[in-house]
Amino acid sequence: MLHETPGLIEAIRDRFAHVDACPFHGPRIFFENAGGALTLKSVAETSAKFAAIPDNQGRDNTASHALVDIINTAKSDLATFMNASFGQFFVGESGTELLFRMIRTACVNAPKGTKVVGSSIEHPASRSAARRWAGIAGLDYVNVPHSNETGTVSAEDYRAYVTPDTTVATILHASPVTGMGMDVAAIAQTIREVAPNCFIIVDGIQHAAHGQLDLDSYGVDGYAISPYKVFSRHGYGVAWISDRLTALPHDMLIDAPATGWEFGTRDTGSYATMSDVIAYFDWLGGEVSDATDRRARIEAAGRAIHAYETHLTDAMINGTGNLPGLRDMEHVTILSGADNPAREGLVSITVDGMASADVVTQLNEQGIRTHTRKADHYSGNVLDPLGLSDCIRISLCHYNTEHEVAQLLAVLKNIRD
């Protein structure tokens, strides 16, 4: 694992901005990665560089040609990173906006009276889009209930609701509330067994930072990520779409190329910063493996990240050193179970007798950044069935340390109203 290679965690942390201190608050431990991961220093440098360039793509000058080359390189990098041998990548306003566009396009092109299937575990980015556009397009929205005990939805859960007239389906890759990952490939395969021509669109926003992506193995038509949750910055989203989703009639300028999905002149720096992110995964894979192929190094990085984050969440749940873990604190309840193999770097808890916002405030006062999830339009679909008004989300990433986990446990051990 990452922490077993001398100096590697330090080298990882050195590549990120504000890894141990907030520019407004001062020294702090960052356990709010699900709300937005730390930013690579290279991303900040690249963003500043491209913000100063006045030229745009599509012009006949040296700078414009260079910008086009940078965009094409980034798309090639994304294809390697996400293992996509077909389809296309494009950027938009945000991951949420891109999910809406893909789901909208699939719905308005579907025959009236057919079905859109999604699950109750999904983030509102996909659930809201699917419900809205199903209604507008005259389709029936079908909800697949998730398991309150595990915080997941399975292929078998989908099987009970998918019928041959299912034309659009949505899948969440990982939940930002429970922290659990779904088996996208198995769910998609189950859908295709019943409705082979269904357009399947995946929200990969929470998953992207926690393990490798493998679009070729999923058998889906759309996949969106939010780069600020995978070590880049705010201000854009990245989508991949299959050739057949690309070809559907969609919002576009009159007489524009039929395969184009971008609106207006996009920021070249957004593409360039994705290349920075992928270069980081490539570097990390080289540190944890002897692989010579770039994709193989990226896969090795993903495995190492997942293994190390599992180590950190295990330490948080089971304890480290002489500190008891969350499962041994009588005043703490862990959502979705203490022993859940689907967990991806996130533990959500409640504290008996305390509002979650008060716990988060006390942790902040001790220099530990976490976040409150409320039973609102973002998280009510998960918290309401559990009878919870809120919870505390503790979200890790591979630049966090076991020492930081220990500091968290030391505070939670004695936290009181």
Side-chain angles (χ1 to χ4, degrees):
M1 281 187 278
L2 300 180
H3 65 296
E4 295 171 338
T5 301
L8 183 54
I9 291 296
E10 291 76 14
I12 289 169
R13 288 169 68 85
D14 187 55
R15 281 165 167 75
F16 288 88
H18 307 305
V19 70
D20 55 11
C22 169
F24 302 100
H25 177 91
R28 59 94 177 90
I29 295 168
F30 194 73
F31 284 153
E32 225 288 86
N33 294 283
L38 296 180
T39 305
L40 286 163
K41 292 176 181 177
S42 59
V43 165
E45 293 164 0
T46 296
S47 295
K49 173 184 174 181
F50 281 91
I53 295 174
D55 297 275
N56 295 317
Q57 314 104 36
R59 277 67 170 173
D60 188 14
N61 62 68
T62 302
S64 182
H65 296 166
L67 296 179
V68 171
D69 288 343
I70 289 164
I71 291 171
N72 289 336
T73 295
K75 289 181 178 181
S76 177
D77 290 342
L78 282 162
T80 301
F81 177 55
M82 299 175 75
N83 197 34
S85 62
F86 65 100
Q88 67 161 320
F89 290 93
F90 61 98
V91 300
E93 174 188 339
S94 65
T96 296
E97 183 259 346
L98 291 169
L99 285 167
F100 263 77
R101 284 175 60 191
M102 291 188 288
I103 293 167
R104 177 177 73 227
T105 298
C107 287
V108 299
N109 285 284
K112 289 186 183 301
T114 56
K115 293 179 180 177
V116 180
V117 175
S119 74
S120 58
I121 194 65
E122 291 175 38
H123 185 277
S126 57
R127 292 176 67 244
S128 301
R131 291 193 177 203
R132 170 174 169 76
W133 287 100
I136 292 172
L139 312 177
D140 294 326
Y141 182 82
V142 177
N143 178 63
V144 180
H146 70 278
S147 166
N148 291 324
E149 290 71 31
T150 66
T152 61
V153 65
S154 69
E156 290 308 306
D157 293 329
Y158 269 79
R159 188 183 299 279
Y161 291 87
V162 175
T163 54
D165 61 343
T166 301
T167 51
V168 182
T170 55
I171 304 172
L172 179 69
H173 205 154
S175 169
V177 183
T178 69
M180 304 308 167
M182 318 302 151
D183 190 339
V184 169
I187 294 171
Q189 181 180 350
T190 295
I191 293 169
R192 297 232 181 271
E193 287 172 0
V194 180
N197 295 318
C198 178
F199 283 93
I200 303 174
I201 297 160
V202 181
D203 173 356
I205 292 171
Q206 178 63 30
H207 171 76
H210 299 288
Q212 67 259 30
L213 300 165
D214 190 356
L215 290 173
D216 276 359
S217 74
Y218 298 157
V220 302
D221 295 287
Y223 196 99
I225 66 173
S226 292
Y228 77 96
K229 291 196 177 186
V230 59
F231 319 136
S232 186
R233 58 173 170 80
H234 285 273
Y236 72 108
V238 173
W240 169 88
I241 52 175
S242 68
D243 296 331
R244 70 192 199 107
L245 182 54
T246 292
L248 285 181
H250 56 276
D251 290 343
M252 56 183 287
L253 301 181
I254 296 171
D255 296 329
T259 58
W261 275 64
E262 287 186 340
F263 289 146
T265 303
R266 302 307 309 178
D267 171 25
T268 302
S270 62
Y271 278 109
T273 53
M274 280 311 301
S275 288
D276 288 331
V277 170
I278 296 157
Y280 170 75
F281 276 88
D282 188 4
W283 166 79
L284 182 58
E287 295 295 310
V288 297
S289 76
D290 296 324
T292 56
D293 174 75
R294 196 179 197 205
R295 173 62 192 173
R297 289 194 297 271
I298 289 170
E299 290 176 345
R303 290 191 296 270
I305 286 170
H306 181 75
Y308 179 60
E309 290 177 351
T310 298
H311 168 74
L312 291 179
T313 54
D314 284 350
M316 186 181 296
I317 291 169
N318 298 312
T320 180
N322 61 354
L323 289 166
L326 297 174
R327 73 190 309 158
D328 296 316
M329 298 180 187
E330 292 184 357
H331 56 295
V332 171
T333 300
I334 301 171
L335 273 64
S336 302
D339 301 307
N340 194 326
R343 190 179 303 280
E344 293 189 357
L346 190 157
V347 183
S348 287
I349 64 170
T350 58
V351 175
D352 291 350
M354 292 187 69
S356 295
D358 293 338
V359 176
V360 168
T361 296
Q362 288 198 32
L363 289 171
N364 259 328
E365 291 170 351
Q366 297 295 319
I368 302 171
R369 186 73 51 81
T370 58
H371 183 55
T372 306
R373 299 305 302 185
K374 299 177 182 178
D376 55 13
H377 61 291
Y378 281 114
S379 305
N381 57 308
V382 176
L383 296 178
D384 282 337
L386 297 173
L388 298 175
S389 60
D390 49 50
C391 69
I392 304 106
R393 183 177 69 187
I394 308 163
S395 49
L396 309 167
C397 216
H398 69 281
Y399 38 67
N400 289 121
T401 68
E402 194 168 343
H403 178 64
E404 291 177 328
V405 170
Q407 291 176 272
L408 170 78
L409 293 177
V411 175
L412 286 175
K413 176 184 176 183
N414 298 309
I415 201 164
R416 292 291 185 272
D417 189 4

